[in-house]
Amino acid sequence: MRRILIADDHAIVRRGLKEIILEAFPSAEITEVADAEDLINKVVKEVWDIVLSDLSMPGRSGLEALQQIKIHAPKLPVLILSVYPEDQYAIRVLKAGASGYLNKDMAPEELVNAIHKVLSGRKYITPSIAEKLATNIDLNTQGPAHARLSDREFEVLKLLAAGKSISDIASSLFLSSTTVSTYRARILAKMNLKTNADLTQYSLENNLI
């Protein structure tokens, strides 16, 4: 019997995933959580065969949760699900230890195939991700300017570029306004930009928003 943990803050998404999984794995024991904190706690306290986690959840992001999971259970396969295109986050999550990255508009068969693959100890990597990995071996020295940002800085970049205020970002990420302002300063410095308008223009040109 497989023990599967699903993490997503939308109940309807969890229900859909559960139905798809149970059709392919009728004897699976599936547990649901709605945020990253509960996800991390479940991984620390219990043994699982695989985790399916949303990338964007209240509080800590799925990417931060992934990093914590890999500390406590380095061999536990984690599939990251997201509404964001592959070119925005796929390489980041794979480098952080994920076993695969799937867009939420995937076909059910694709999800089942991904689960089978990672349960067998392999990575689930689409051809487009494989190509990006081959041409961007070191994101710290190659690729676009936003590739130099940390995961949290990248999150803040996208929110700033979308027109969110410092206080709005602080509230949504459970950070202080001072911390968000510090992230903003780092982002501008690393990307050699000066204003939020510059960030928005850059993000539009690079399909980040």
Side-chain angles (χ1 to χ4, degrees):
M1 180 182 69
R2 296 292 189 179
R3 301 196 74 227
I4 300 173
L5 181 58
I6 297 175
D8 196 291
D9 56 320
H10 295 96
I12 192 168
V13 173
R14 297 197 303 271
R15 179 176 178 179
L17 291 172
K18 187 173 182 179
E19 290 178 355
I20 293 170
I21 294 169
L22 285 175
E23 187 172 338
F25 302 88
S27 62
E29 177 187 332
I30 300 176
T31 298
E32 305 172 29
V33 294
D35 58 53
E37 290 297 338
D38 283 345
L39 168 58
I40 295 168
N41 288 335
K42 285 287 186 182
V43 169
V44 170
K45 295 177 181 177
E46 301 179 44
V47 177
W48 306 92
D49 292 298
I50 186 173
V51 169
L52 279 69
S53 176
D54 185 16
L55 188 61
S56 300
M57 293 184 285
R60 296 194 195 190
S61 68
L63 192 49
E64 287 181 287
L66 170 63
Q67 293 164 346
Q68 290 298 310
I69 288 171
K70 287 300 159 179
I71 292 173
H72 294 286
K75 295 184 179 180
L76 175 62
V78 179
L79 276 174
I80 296 292
L81 311 179
S82 176
V83 297
Y84 299 115
E86 288 181 344
D87 58 354
Q88 291 188 25
Y89 276 105
I91 293 178
R92 285 181 181 270
V93 301
L94 289 169
K95 284 181 174 289
S99 295
Y101 183 93
L102 295 93
N103 194 279
K104 284 188 175 180
D105 64 1
M106 68 197 158
E109 296 79 9
E110 187 177 359
L111 173 63
V112 172
N113 177 43
I115 293 174
H116 277 297
K117 183 165 287 188
V118 302
L119 283 175
S120 70
R122 295 177 291 168
K123 298 278 189 181
Y124 176 79
I125 300 176
T126 65
S128 62
I129 294 177
E131 182 178 353
K132 289 181 185 299
L133 285 171
T135 57
N136 293 279
I137 300 299
D138 185 357
L139 285 179
N140 290 319
T141 58
Q142 301 180 31
H146 65 268
R148 295 193 290 270
L149 302 178
S150 70
D151 297 328
R152 181 60 100 182
E153 288 167 351
F154 186 62
E155 280 188 288
V156 173
L157 162 65
K158 287 167 62 67
L159 293 170
L160 287 169
K164 300 293 185 182
S165 68
I166 295 294
S167 58
D168 288 339
I169 297 172
S171 177
S172 65
L173 298 181
F174 294 86
L175 299 171
S176 70
S177 294
T178 300
T179 299
V180 174
S181 295
T182 300
Y183 279 126
R184 176 182 177 276
R186 289 178 186 170
I187 292 165
L188 291 171
K190 286 184 177 182
M191 298 180 67
N192 196 28
L193 299 174
K194 296 184 181 301
T195 67
N196 285 9
D198 291 339
L199 292 175
T200 298
Q201 181 178 351
Y202 175 93
S203 297
L204 288 170
E205 291 173 350
N206 287 272
N207 299 313
L208 299 183
I209 57 174

